Amino acid sequence: MYRNSSTRRFRVVVAAATITLGIVAAVSAGPAGAAAHGDDGEHTMAVEEQAAAMAATARYQDVAIAEAEGWASSIDTLGCFQDDARGGMGVHYVNDSLMDDVVDIAKPEALVYELDATGAVAGLVAHEYIVPVEAWTSAEPPQLFGMDFHQHPVLPLWVLHTWMWKENPTGMFSDWNPAVRPCPAGVPIFGVDLPE
């Protein structure tokens, strides 16, 4: 059983790395600093930064690997995120050991997964970089990829979403993604069912 599990994980890591290399090649074919499809079309992400962020997290397409390396589902405390008017987000897997004032493109504090119709993880779709409000002492907001973080409207956090793994028609840095499936029936919804 151990060998089967190890073999499966190895195959997932190899597949994820292959996918990442393909994406990096496609991203690299475009102009450096290509538009990130933000609301105003002016926000950009350097090709090198996007490639580095994706290469660092490709193996987390297998959520079991993410869990083994410190990310834990927030479904029981925060639920699944969606907005009827703006789109979906999914469920966040948070690494508490990264919740400080340091941001690193290769170490997102949360990995965002889309759920399938049964409530199972369907795939990694985004990174969410997070800084607790109480940890940030600067008068300026945290920044990454040339983008300012913004304060979450409910939680005491500075946040920045990056839709690395699923294209977002409203912009790479938008919070909500209309291309993400809505949360399935029976799964608690943030702001409706949770937090309590």
Side-chain angles (χ1 to χ4, degrees):
M1 175 136 176
Y2 174 77
R3 184 163 52 189
N4 289 343
S5 176
S6 295
T7 301
R8 180 180 172 274
R9 284 192 180 172
F10 176 77
R11 287 181 182 156
V12 168
V13 169
V14 170
T18 302
I19 290 167
T20 301
L21 291 174
I23 291 170
V24 168
V27 168
S28 298
H37 311 292
D39 293 336
D40 58 12
E42 295 179 11
H43 301 302
T44 61
M45 180 183 290
V47 171
E48 298 82 8
E49 289 181 320
Q50 184 174 358
M54 293 176 78
T57 61
R59 66 188 178 277
Y60 302 138
Q61 287 292 343
D62 183 339
V63 72
I65 294 174
E67 290 174 325
E69 294 188 20
W71 280 267
S73 173
S74 65
I75 194 79
D76 292 333
T77 55
L78 297 177
C80 180
F81 286 67
Q82 70 178 25
D83 182 285
D84 292 339
R86 294 179 287 178
M89 193 182 296
V91 63
H92 294 67
Y93 278 66
V94 179
N95 189 327
D96 287 336
S97 72
L98 300 175
M99 296 293 279
D100 53 27
D101 64 342
V102 177
V103 291
D104 181 341
I105 62 173
K107 296 177 182 175
E109 286 74 16
L111 301 169
V112 185
Y113 290 90
E114 185 174 28
L115 299 178
D116 67 16
T118 69
V121 168
L124 177 62
V125 291
H127 300 170
E128 186 170 5
Y129 298 92
I130 302 171
V131 175
V133 167
E134 65 183 23
W136 193 251
T137 58
S138 173
E140 299 298 319
Q143 191 178 82
L144 200 60
F145 304 111
M147 291 290 295
D148 287 344
F149 285 46
H150 62 277
Q151 284 194 332
H152 191 280
V154 177
L155 304 172
L157 306 170
W158 289 98
V159 298
L160 179 68
H161 282 91
T162 58
W163 294 93
M164 297 284 183
W165 297 100
K166 185 159 194 148
E167 186 174 353
N168 186 346
T170 61
M172 178 175 271
F173 299 106
S174 294
D175 286 338
W176 305 100
N177 186 339
V180 170
R181 294 179 189 99
C183 302
V187 172
I189 306 296
F190 178 80
V192 176
D193 307 302
L194 293 171
E196 294 177 338

